[in-house]
Amino acid sequence: MLKFNDVSLIKNYRLINEEKYFIKLNMTFEDGKMYLIKGDDSKYLIGKLIMNFIEPTFGTIEVLDYELKRNRYLKNINNLRRHIGYLPFDYDDKFNYHLVNNIFKESLYNYNYQTEKDDELVENIIANTGCYLDYKKEKLENLDSITRYKLYLASILIHNPQIIIIEKIINDEKIKNYLEKLAHQEGKIVIFVGNYKMNVDKTYVINNYSVSEVEE
C-alpha cells in the first residue's frame, strides 16, 4: 500500500519567494494495480517524495511499513528504497559506471542480495526486459539510447521492488507486458508519471496545486 494523506509541498514556506507545488494531495495506490499520474510539472516531484529525496511540507506519505513526513529521519533509508524501483525522467544522466556489469552489481550490492545468485538474477532480468547484451563485457558508451533505457529499467527491477515508478516510457511491447505482469500477476504497484496515453487501472491528474481522479 502507498498512500498520500493531505500532502502539501511548498518551497520556501512563509518566505517572500514561497512557491506552491501542491496542497493537500490525497492519493491511494493499491497492490496489483497500474497507475498514471498526469498534469503539470509538479507531477515529477511525486517519485522524489516517495523515495524520500525530498520531504513533504505538511501531511504524511505511507509507504509499505514506513511513514514519511517533515523532519522525520529514517535510520536506514536503504530499507525503504530497496522496495522501490525508480526510473527518473533524466535517468540517462544517472549512470555511474562505464561497464554494464558494474551497473547490475551495484544495484544488487546496495540492497544486500546474495552475490552467488548475481548471474542468475541478471540473466533473468535481461530476458524479461529485452535488454539483450553481453553484460560482462559490454561498455555503456557502446549502447544505443533504447538499450540504455532498457538497462536502467533492468537495474531498478533486479532487486524485485514492490513499488515501481517510471517517469519515462518507450513504445516496447515486451516491456509493457512485463510491467503488466508485475502488477496484475505479481501484485506490484506500478506508477507511470507523464502525460501519456495508456491503459491503466486509475489515472490521477495534478493541476493548480490539487489532484483529481479519473477511473479508467
XYZ file of all heavy atoms in Angstrom, residues 2-92:
780
model
N 0.445 2.233 -0.772
C 1.111 3.535 -0.829
C 0.016 4.588 -0.760
O -0.942 4.535 -1.530
C 1.912 3.657 -2.125
C 2.449 5.043 -2.511
C 3.418 5.559 -1.472
C 3.117 4.958 -3.884
N 0.161 5.529 0.168
C -0.922 6.482 0.379
C -0.396 7.870 0.708
O 0.485 8.020 1.555
C -1.834 5.980 1.506
C -3.135 6.725 1.650
C -4.024 6.051 2.691
C -5.374 6.730 2.801
N -6.230 6.085 3.836
N -0.945 8.885 0.032
C -0.662 10.288 0.327
C -1.812 10.827 1.170
O -2.977 10.781 0.755
C -0.554 11.096 -0.961
C 0.769 10.978 -1.659
C 1.242 9.751 -2.092
C 1.548 12.108 -1.895
C 2.455 9.638 -2.738
C 2.769 12.007 -2.551
C 3.220 10.766 -2.974
N -1.495 11.349 2.351
C -2.509 11.867 3.271
C -2.342 13.376 3.448
O -1.444 13.832 4.158
C -2.388 11.182 4.638
C -2.535 9.680 4.557
O -3.498 9.179 4.012
N -1.556 8.951 5.092
N -3.178 14.151 2.760
C -3.144 15.621 2.869
C -1.729 16.166 2.675
O -1.254 17.014 3.439
C -3.687 16.085 4.224
C -5.194 15.947 4.321
O -5.864 15.954 3.269
O -5.709 15.834 5.453
N -1.059 15.697 1.643
C 0.342 16.077 1.425
C 0.423 17.420 0.687
O -0.153 17.598 -0.390
C 1.085 14.997 0.625
C 2.474 15.489 0.226
C 1.200 13.722 1.458
N 1.141 18.338 1.293
C 1.431 19.634 0.662
C 2.933 19.763 0.478
O 3.713 19.318 1.320
C 0.925 20.793 1.533
O -0.478 20.744 1.683
N 3.318 20.383 -0.626
C 4.729 20.650 -0.884
C 4.863 22.114 -1.277
O 4.315 22.551 -2.297
C 5.261 19.746 -2.002
C 6.755 19.863 -2.287
C 7.581 19.434 -1.070
C 7.140 19.012 -3.499
N 5.566 22.869 -0.441
C 5.708 24.309 -0.627
C 7.179 24.670 -0.448
O 7.760 24.452 0.625
C 4.854 25.095 0.383
C 3.393 24.629 0.318
C 4.957 26.594 0.119
C 2.525 25.165 1.442
N 7.764 25.203 -1.481
C 9.164 25.628 -1.408
C 9.241 27.008 -0.747
O 8.427 27.879 -1.011
C 9.758 25.679 -2.822
C 11.233 26.020 -2.869
C 11.716 26.021 -4.309
C 13.200 26.371 -4.409
N 13.659 26.378 -5.821
N 10.228 27.176 0.136
C 10.430 28.448 0.839
C 9.163 28.874 1.590
O 8.704 30.024 1.492
C 10.858 29.550 -0.133
C 12.129 29.213 -0.871
O 13.083 28.709 -0.285
N 12.150 29.466 -2.166
N 8.614 27.935 2.343
C 7.360 28.175 3.056
C 7.442 29.405 3.955
O 8.378 29.577 4.718
C 7.012 26.932 3.880
C 5.768 27.055 4.710
C 4.536 27.293 4.106
C 5.821 26.941 6.101
C 3.379 27.407 4.866
C 4.670 27.040 6.865
C 3.455 27.283 6.239
O 2.317 27.391 6.999
N 6.440 30.289 3.816
C 6.281 31.525 4.580
C 7.325 32.585 4.260
O 7.425 33.593 4.966
C 6.266 31.246 6.092
C 4.972 30.586 6.568
C 4.939 30.479 8.077
N 3.644 30.034 8.554
C 3.365 29.800 9.830
N 4.304 29.961 10.754
N 2.159 29.400 10.187
N 8.100 32.393 3.229
C 9.044 33.423 2.792
C 8.458 34.187 1.615
O 7.485 33.766 0.986
C 10.379 32.783 2.403
C 11.119 32.037 3.529
C 12.401 31.420 2.991
C 11.419 32.960 4.705
N 9.069 35.306 1.273
C 8.537 36.151 0.216
C 8.571 35.451 -1.143
O 7.754 35.723 -2.029
C 9.303 37.503 0.168
C 8.545 38.494 -0.721
C 10.752 37.290 -0.321
C 9.098 39.898 -0.636
N 9.502 34.514 -1.310
C 9.620 33.774 -2.571
C 8.987 32.384 -2.477
O 9.401 31.448 -3.155
C 11.078 33.665 -3.000
C 11.958 32.991 -1.954
O 11.599 32.939 -0.776
N 13.098 32.492 -2.383
N 7.973 32.255 -1.638
C 7.272 30.983 -1.468
C 6.714 30.490 -2.800
O 6.201 31.269 -3.603
C 6.129 31.165 -0.466
C 5.306 29.920 -0.242
C 4.187 30.150 0.751
O 4.468 30.150 1.969
O 3.031 30.350 0.308
N 6.846 29.188 -3.033
C 6.359 28.588 -4.278
C 5.610 27.300 -3.950
O 6.160 26.372 -3.393
C 7.533 28.286 -5.207
C 7.121 27.794 -6.575
C 8.294 27.628 -7.519
O 9.431 27.963 -7.110
O 8.087 27.173 -8.652
N 4.312 27.277 -4.320
C 3.481 26.113 -4.054
C 3.561 25.132 -5.214
O 3.490 25.513 -6.371
C 2.031 26.529 -3.836
C 1.779 27.443 -2.644
C 0.306 27.746 -2.526
C 0.019 28.661 -1.339
N 0.531 30.035 -1.585
N 3.673 23.833 -4.882
C 3.628 22.779 -5.890
C 2.304 22.029 -5.823
O 1.671 21.787 -6.836
C 4.800 21.816 -5.713
C 6.132 22.471 -5.987
C 7.022 22.755 -4.949
C 6.495 22.830 -7.278
C 8.235 23.366 -5.194
C 7.717 23.444 -7.544
C 8.577 23.708 -6.488
O 9.774 24.319 -6.739
N 1.892 21.627 -4.630
C 0.550 21.104 -4.453
C 0.129 21.216 -2.994
O 0.958 21.306 -2.095
C 0.374 19.658 -4.945
C 1.570 18.783 -4.812
C 1.947 18.277 -3.577
C 2.323 18.433 -5.927
C 3.046 17.448 -3.454
C 3.433 17.611 -5.802
C 3.794 17.119 -4.582
N -1.198 21.240 -2.813
C -1.782 21.446 -1.498
C -2.753 20.305 -1.187
O -3.680 20.044 -1.947
C -2.537 22.799 -1.428
C -1.624 23.963 -1.819
C -3.129 23.017 -0.034
C -0.464 24.204 -0.874
N -2.531 19.645 -0.077
C -3.412 18.591 0.436
C -3.760 17.532 -0.616
O -4.928 17.283 -0.893
C -4.671 19.207 1.044
C -4.391 19.997 2.322
C -5.667 20.392 3.035
C -5.342 21.063 4.363
N -6.565 21.435 5.125
N -2.723 16.934 -1.154
C -2.914 15.821 -2.086
C -3.301 14.558 -1.324
O -2.673 14.206 -0.336
C -1.615 15.550 -2.865
C -1.591 15.937 -4.344
C -1.827 17.418 -4.505
C -0.278 15.524 -4.973
N -4.335 13.892 -1.826
C -4.736 12.595 -1.285
C -4.796 11.597 -2.433
O -5.593 11.758 -3.366
C -6.088 12.687 -0.579
C -6.002 13.427 0.734
O -5.516 12.897 1.727
N -6.465 14.675 0.757
N -3.937 10.591 -2.383
C -3.895 9.564 -3.420
C -3.627 8.226 -2.753
O -2.843 8.141 -1.810
C -2.796 9.849 -4.455
C -2.961 11.147 -5.220
S -1.714 11.361 -6.529
C -0.216 11.570 -5.552
N -4.258 7.194 -3.268
C -4.051 5.846 -2.753
C -3.664 4.921 -3.904
O -4.300 4.930 -4.958
C -5.318 5.304 -2.071
O -5.658 6.159 -0.971
C -5.088 3.890 -1.547
N -2.604 4.154 -3.695
C -2.111 3.214 -4.693
C -2.145 1.811 -4.075
O -1.479 1.553 -3.075
C -0.684 3.565 -5.118
C -0.541 4.977 -5.618
C -0.254 6.016 -4.738
C -0.700 5.273 -6.963
C -0.117 7.319 -5.201
C -0.556 6.567 -7.433
C -0.272 7.600 -6.551
N -2.902 0.929 -4.672
C -3.086 -0.418 -4.131
C -2.194 -1.429 -4.840
O -1.890 -1.281 -6.026
C -4.553 -0.833 -4.263
C -5.514 0.064 -3.496
C -6.960 -0.348 -3.709
O -7.218 -1.217 -4.572
O -7.831 0.199 -3.010
N -1.816 -2.463 -4.110
C -1.026 -3.549 -4.684
C -1.791 -4.176 -5.855
O -3.018 -4.313 -5.829
C -0.754 -4.623 -3.632
C 0.141 -4.139 -2.512
O 0.697 -3.036 -2.626
O 0.273 -4.863 -1.504
N -1.042 -4.580 -6.878
C -1.638 -5.288 -8.001
C -2.307 -4.401 -9.026
O -3.069 -4.903 -9.857
N -2.014 -3.096 -8.995
C -2.646 -2.179 -9.949
C -1.617 -1.257 -10.607
O -0.548 -0.997 -10.070
C -3.728 -1.348 -9.259
C -4.927 -2.165 -8.814
C -6.054 -1.279 -8.294
C -7.271 -2.105 -7.921
N -8.389 -1.266 -7.432
N -2.002 -0.750 -11.789
C -1.167 0.183 -12.541
C -1.820 1.560 -12.515
O -3.042 1.688 -12.643
C -1.008 -0.297 -13.987
C -0.365 -1.670 -14.108
S -0.298 -2.265 -15.818
C 0.920 -1.136 -16.500
N -0.986 2.586 -12.364
C -1.471 3.956 -12.230
C -0.736 4.883 -13.191
O 0.399 4.611 -13.592
C -1.262 4.458 -10.797
C -2.051 3.695 -9.768
C -1.551 2.505 -9.225
C -3.296 4.133 -9.330
C -2.277 1.786 -8.282
C -4.027 3.421 -8.382
C -3.509 2.252 -7.865
O -4.217 1.551 -6.937
N -1.394 5.987 -13.510
C -0.791 7.039 -14.325
C -1.022 8.369 -13.618
O -2.153 8.666 -13.209
C -1.418 7.063 -15.720
C -0.975 8.196 -16.663
C 0.520 8.094 -16.968
C -1.795 8.160 -17.957
N 0.047 9.153 -13.452
C -0.051 10.495 -12.879
C 0.282 11.496 -13.976
O 1.398 11.530 -14.502
C 0.895 10.679 -11.684
C 0.586 9.651 -10.595
C 0.770 12.097 -11.121
C 1.523 9.710 -9.407
N -0.703 12.327 -14.330
C -0.557 13.319 -15.390
C -0.671 14.717 -14.793
O -0.923 14.877 -13.606
C -1.649 13.111 -16.451
C -1.693 11.728 -17.049
C -2.914 11.510 -17.922
C -2.895 12.335 -19.186
N -3.993 11.961 -20.114
N -0.509 15.739 -15.661
C -0.732 17.107 -15.217
C 0.466 18.001 -15.413
O 1.274 17.794 -16.325
N 0.595 19.006 -14.544
C 1.689 19.974 -14.691
C 3.000 19.370 -14.183
O 3.048 18.225 -13.726
C 1.345 21.293 -13.992
C 1.052 21.118 -12.507
O 1.741 20.302 -11.850
O 0.144 21.795 -11.989
N 4.068 20.163 -14.258
C 5.407 19.629 -13.959
C 5.587 19.179 -12.515
O 6.533 18.434 -12.216
C 6.469 20.682 -14.300
C 6.681 20.808 -15.800
O 6.179 19.944 -16.548
O 7.331 21.787 -16.233
N 4.706 19.596 -11.619
C 4.856 19.172 -10.225
C 4.686 17.661 -10.075
O 5.104 17.085 -9.067
C 3.854 19.902 -9.333
O 2.524 19.577 -9.674
N 4.125 17.013 -11.090
C 3.969 15.543 -11.029
C 5.315 14.844 -10.902
O 5.400 13.744 -10.338
C 3.248 15.033 -12.280
C 3.983 15.260 -13.588
C 3.158 14.799 -14.778
C 3.832 15.105 -16.101
N 3.851 16.557 -16.395
N 6.377 15.478 -11.400
C 7.696 14.854 -11.332
C 8.312 14.910 -9.932
O 9.405 14.384 -9.713
C 8.636 15.496 -12.344
C 8.248 15.183 -13.775
C 7.860 16.199 -14.642
C 8.252 13.882 -14.248
C 7.490 15.912 -15.958
C 7.880 13.588 -15.552
C 7.507 14.611 -16.402
O 7.127 14.320 -17.689
N 7.617 15.530 -8.985
C 8.088 15.539 -7.601
C 7.524 14.375 -6.800
O 7.998 14.086 -5.700
C 7.708 16.868 -6.937
C 8.337 18.114 -7.571
C 7.719 19.379 -6.996
C 9.845 18.121 -7.381
N 6.522 13.694 -7.357
C 5.888 12.585 -6.639
C 6.883 11.454 -6.368
O 6.984 10.941 -5.247
C 4.680 12.055 -7.430
C 3.590 13.137 -7.541
C 4.129 10.790 -6.782
C 2.992 13.554 -6.230
N 7.630 11.047 -7.386
C 8.606 9.986 -7.211
C 9.675 10.344 -6.200
O 10.089 9.499 -5.391
N 10.109 11.592 -6.213
C 11.148 12.037 -5.273
C 10.625 12.035 -3.845
O 11.373 11.752 -2.897
C 11.646 13.418 -5.683
C 12.402 13.422 -7.008
C 12.821 14.836 -7.426
C 13.677 14.806 -8.689
N 12.986 14.202 -9.835
N 9.335 12.339 -3.672
C 8.738 12.265 -2.343
C 8.664 10.821 -1.851
O 8.980 10.527 -0.695
C 7.338 12.881 -2.360
C 7.261 14.412 -2.362
C 5.871 14.873 -2.781
C 7.605 14.968 -0.988
N 8.254 9.925 -2.733
C 8.136 8.521 -2.345
C 9.503 7.930 -2.003
O 9.641 7.135 -1.075
C 7.457 7.716 -3.468
C 6.016 8.219 -3.682
C 7.449 6.223 -3.150
C 5.354 7.651 -4.928
N 10.527 8.352 -2.735
C 11.885 7.885 -2.458
C 12.516 8.572 -1.255
O 13.595 8.209 -0.813
C 12.772 8.119 -3.686
C 12.464 7.222 -4.866
S 12.935 5.499 -4.572
C 14.729 5.605 -4.679
N 11.826 9.606 -0.731
C 12.324 10.398 0.381
C 13.571 11.202 0.017
O 14.416 11.504 0.852
C 12.606 9.515 1.605
C 12.602 10.298 2.918
O 13.466 10.108 3.776
N 11.652 11.184 3.079
N 13.679 11.564 -1.278
C 14.725 12.507 -1.695
C 14.359 13.908 -1.223
O 15.239 14.732 -0.959
C 14.885 12.508 -3.215
C 15.452 11.230 -3.777
C 15.150 10.838 -5.064
C 16.298 10.438 -3.028
C 15.676 9.666 -5.601
C 16.835 9.259 -3.554
C 16.512 8.880 -4.849
N 13.062 14.196 -1.164
C 12.557 15.445 -0.609
C 11.451 15.098 0.385
O 10.885 14.003 0.337
C 12.024 16.402 -1.697
C 10.923 15.720 -2.523
C 13.154 16.889 -2.584
C 10.301 16.638 -3.572
N 11.146 16.032 1.296
C 10.139 15.794 2.324
C 8.894 16.628 2.053
O 8.991 17.750 1.536
C 10.687 16.168 3.705
C 11.884 15.361 4.154
C 12.407 15.834 5.498
O 12.093 16.991 5.883
O 13.106 15.059 6.161
N 7.716 16.111 2.417
C 6.516 16.935 2.303
C 6.569 18.078 3.311
O 7.135 17.940 4.395
C 5.383 15.956 2.630
C 6.021 14.902 3.483
C 7.438 14.776 2.979
N 5.998 19.207 2.955
C 5.924 20.327 3.893
C 4.901 20.027 4.979
O 5.120 20.316 6.153
C 5.548 21.620 3.150
O 6.394 21.783 2.010
C 5.714 22.835 4.055
N 3.775 19.455 4.565
C 2.739 19.018 5.502
C 2.197 17.671 5.050
O 2.336 17.297 3.890
C 1.589 20.037 5.575
C 2.008 21.404 6.030
C 2.083 22.446 5.121
C 2.332 21.653 7.361
C 2.470 23.716 5.527
C 2.718 22.914 7.771
C 2.792 23.950 6.847
N 1.529 16.978 5.946
C 0.936 15.697 5.611
C 1.926 14.554 5.739
O 3.097 14.738 6.085
N 1.444 13.355 5.455
C 2.273 12.162 5.566
C 2.114 11.289 4.325
O 1.095 11.333 3.635
C 1.885 11.325 6.801
O 0.522 10.880 6.668
C 2.052 12.118 8.069
N 3.143 10.494 4.065
C 3.111 9.517 2.974
C 3.374 8.146 3.593
O 4.415 7.927 4.216
C 4.172 9.825 1.905
C 4.006 11.246 1.379
C 4.089 8.816 0.755
C 5.157 11.709 0.498
N 2.420 7.244 3.448
C 2.579 5.881 3.921
C 3.148 5.030 2.785
O 2.520 4.889 1.739
C 1.235 5.309 4.368
C 0.591 6.061 5.521
C -0.797 5.547 5.837
O -1.008 4.319 5.762
O -1.685 6.382 6.117
N 4.338 4.503 2.998
C 4.996 3.659 2.002
C 5.301 2.318 2.666
O 6.206 2.215 3.499
C 6.307 4.291 1.486
C 6.877 3.473 0.328
C 6.093 5.732 1.067
N 4.483 1.304 2.327
C 4.636 -0.003 2.964
C 4.559 0.167 4.484
O 3.550 0.635 4.990
C 5.932 -0.662 2.491
C 6.055 -0.796 0.951
C 7.439 -1.281 0.559
C 4.981 -1.710 0.403
N 5.622 -0.145 5.220
C 5.588 -0.019 6.678
C 6.196 1.284 7.177
O 6.424 1.450 8.381
C 6.339 -1.195 7.327
C 5.663 -2.528 7.070
O 4.423 -2.546 6.956
O 6.367 -3.549 6.953
N 6.438 2.221 6.276
C 7.089 3.473 6.645
C 6.111 4.636 6.549
O 5.182 4.629 5.753
C 8.286 3.747 5.722
C 9.347 2.681 5.776
C 9.247 1.537 4.987
C 10.441 2.800 6.624
C 10.220 0.546 5.041
C 11.412 1.818 6.689
C 11.299 0.695 5.893
O 12.253 -0.285 5.952
N 6.350 5.648 7.378
C 5.592 6.891 7.300
C 6.584 8.033 7.073
O 7.471 8.269 7.900
C 4.786 7.131 8.572
C 3.905 8.381 8.481
C 3.111 8.636 9.751
O 3.750 8.903 10.791
O 1.873 8.565 9.702
N 6.411 8.735 5.961
C 7.300 9.839 5.619
C 6.620 11.153 5.958
O 5.462 11.377 5.595
C 7.640 9.796 4.127
C 8.130 8.460 3.556
C 8.448 8.603 2.074
C 9.337 7.950 4.323
N 7.339 12.007 6.655
C 6.799 13.320 6.994
C 7.960 14.282 7.216
O 9.132 13.882 7.248
C 5.914 13.237 8.242
C 6.617 12.768 9.491
C 5.653 12.472 10.626
C 4.869 13.689 11.045
N 4.018 13.410 12.230
N 7.639 15.540 7.365
C 8.656 16.575 7.526
C 9.489 16.335 8.787
O 8.949 16.028 9.856
C 7.975 17.941 7.597
C 8.923 19.123 7.589
C 8.129 20.400 7.609
N 8.971 21.585 7.549
C 8.511 22.832 7.623
N 7.206 23.034 7.737
N 9.329 23.862 7.550
N 10.798 16.441 8.619
C 11.755 16.337 9.728
C 11.746 14.976 10.420
O 12.150 14.865 11.576
C 11.512 17.439 10.773
C 11.772 18.820 10.217
O 12.622 19.002 9.347
N 11.025 19.801 10.705
N 11.284 13.954 9.708
C 11.376 12.607 10.272
C 12.572 11.892 9.658
O 12.598 11.637 8.452
C 10.107 11.804 10.040
C 10.262 10.322 10.415
C 8.952 9.602 10.516
N 8.185 10.048 11.676
C 6.993 9.565 12.011
N 6.428 8.634 11.271
N 6.359 10.017 13.071
N 13.548 11.569 10.462
C 14.761 10.907 9.992
C 14.564 9.399 9.967
O 14.126 8.803 10.958
C 15.935 11.272 10.904
C 17.201 10.503 10.611
C 17.936 10.767 9.461
C 17.636 9.504 11.485
C 19.099 10.055 9.189
C 18.794 8.793 11.217
C 19.513 9.073 10.068
O 20.655 8.367 9.798
N 14.855 8.784 8.822
C 14.805 7.326 8.713
C 16.211 6.781 8.933
O 17.134 7.116 8.197
C 14.278 6.912 7.342
C 12.831 7.301 7.023
C 12.426 6.750 5.658
C 11.880 6.803 8.096
N 16.360 5.952 9.938
C 17.681 5.479 10.342
C 18.410 4.770 9.210
O 19.597 4.987 8.991
C 17.544 4.551 11.552
C 18.864 4.107 12.144
C 18.651 3.284 13.397
C 19.991 2.865 13.998
N 19.796 2.053 15.241
N 17.718 3.915 8.494
C 18.344 3.207 7.376
C 17.468 3.370 6.147
O 16.550 2.604 5.904
C 18.532 1.729 7.721
C 19.367 1.015 6.670
O 19.564 1.518 5.567
N 19.857 -0.161 7.009
N 17.769 4.405 5.369
C 16.925 4.748 4.226
C 16.921 3.643 3.173
O 15.948 3.474 2.429
C 17.393 6.086 3.611
C 16.360 6.631 2.619
C 18.747 5.947 2.960
C 15.053 7.000 3.251
N 17.981 2.841 3.129
C 18.025 1.750 2.145
C 16.953 0.703 2.393
O 16.511 0.026 1.473
C 19.407 1.088 2.131
C 20.301 1.706 1.076
O 19.917 2.660 0.407
N 21.497 1.169 0.930
N 16.524 0.556 3.649
C 15.447 -0.382 3.948
C 14.147 0.039 3.283
O 13.296 -0.800 2.965
C 15.242 -0.508 5.454
C 16.292 -1.384 6.102
O 16.946 -2.181 5.430
N 16.465 -1.233 7.407
N 13.967 1.338 3.089
C 12.807 1.836 2.336
C 13.049 1.692 0.836
O 12.222 1.115 0.110
C 12.545 3.299 2.680
C 11.581 4.050 1.744
C 10.162 3.510 1.894
C 11.608 5.546 2.023
N 14.182 2.191 0.374
C 14.417 2.297 -1.073
C 14.631 0.955 -1.754
O 14.458 0.853 -2.966
C 15.602 3.238 -1.329
C 15.275 4.679 -0.954
C 16.446 5.604 -1.085
N 16.080 6.959 -0.673
C 16.962 7.907 -0.365
N 18.264 7.633 -0.400
N 16.544 9.099 -0.002
N 14.981 -0.074 -1.008
C 15.142 -1.393 -1.627
C 13.808 -1.923 -2.137
O 13.759 -2.826 -2.975
C 15.774 -2.388 -0.662
C 14.894 -2.799 0.494
C 15.555 -3.881 1.332
N 15.764 -5.092 0.560
C 16.446 -6.136 0.995
N 17.027 -6.094 2.181
N 16.570 -7.212 0.260
N 12.703 -1.371 -1.627
C 11.369 -1.804 -2.041
C 10.796 -0.951 -3.178
O 9.662 -1.165 -3.597
C 10.409 -1.759 -0.850
C 10.786 -2.673 0.270
N 10.752 -4.053 0.147
C 11.223 -2.418 1.529
C 11.147 -4.599 1.292
N 11.437 -3.634 2.133
N 11.592 0.016 -3.657
C 11.108 0.934 -4.693
C 12.056 0.914 -5.882
O 13.273 1.025 -5.719
C 11.018 2.377 -4.150
C 10.157 2.424 -2.877
C 10.432 3.311 -5.214
C 10.213 3.756 -2.162
N 11.503 0.750 -7.080
C 12.271 0.894 -8.308
C 11.871 2.205 -8.966
O 10.701 2.393 -9.318
N 12.819 3.127 -9.101
C 12.504 4.486 -9.575
C 13.322 4.819 -10.812
O 14.548 4.848 -10.763
C 12.783 5.479 -8.445
C 12.616 6.936 -8.828
C 11.471 7.387 -9.490
C 13.590 7.876 -8.492
C 11.319 8.729 -9.820
C 13.446 9.222 -8.806
C 12.305 9.640 -9.472
O 12.155 10.969 -9.799
N 12.632 5.057 -11.928
C 13.280 5.472 -13.165
C 12.903 6.932 -13.429
O 11.806 7.226 -13.877
C 12.832 4.584 -14.340
C 13.625 4.728 -15.646
C 13.575 3.428 -16.462
C 13.109 5.876 -16.508
N 13.810 7.882 -13.109
C 13.506 9.306 -13.290
C 13.531 9.697 -14.761
O 14.110 8.995 -15.598
C 14.625 10.002 -12.507
C 15.767 9.034 -12.562
C 15.146 7.659 -12.546
N 12.920 10.813 -15.067
C 12.868 11.283 -16.457
C 14.276 11.480 -17.021
O 14.537 11.191 -18.195
C 12.074 12.599 -16.536
C 11.782 13.033 -17.946
C 10.708 12.485 -18.632
C 12.574 13.974 -18.580
C 10.440 12.874 -19.944
C 12.317 14.366 -19.884
C 11.235 13.813 -20.571
N 15.190 11.948 -16.190
C 16.571 12.190 -16.624
C 17.477 11.010 -16.273
O 18.640 11.187 -15.919
C 17.115 13.475 -16.015
C 17.090 13.465 -14.491
O 16.420 12.574 -13.910
O 17.733 14.335 -13.876
N 16.949 9.801 -16.390
C 17.672 8.582 -15.998
C 19.047 8.468 -16.661
O 19.991 7.945 -16.066
C 16.844 7.337 -16.357
C 16.787 7.071 -17.837
C 17.707 6.234 -18.445
C 15.844 7.699 -18.641
C 17.681 6.015 -19.811
C 15.812 7.489 -19.997
C 16.723 6.650 -20.583
O 16.715 6.453 -21.936
N 19.177 8.940 -17.892
C 20.425 8.722 -18.643
C 21.608 9.460 -18.027
O 22.761 9.141 -18.308
C 20.233 9.138 -20.097
C 21.175 8.396 -21.035
O 21.592 7.272 -20.695
O 21.507 8.947 -22.102
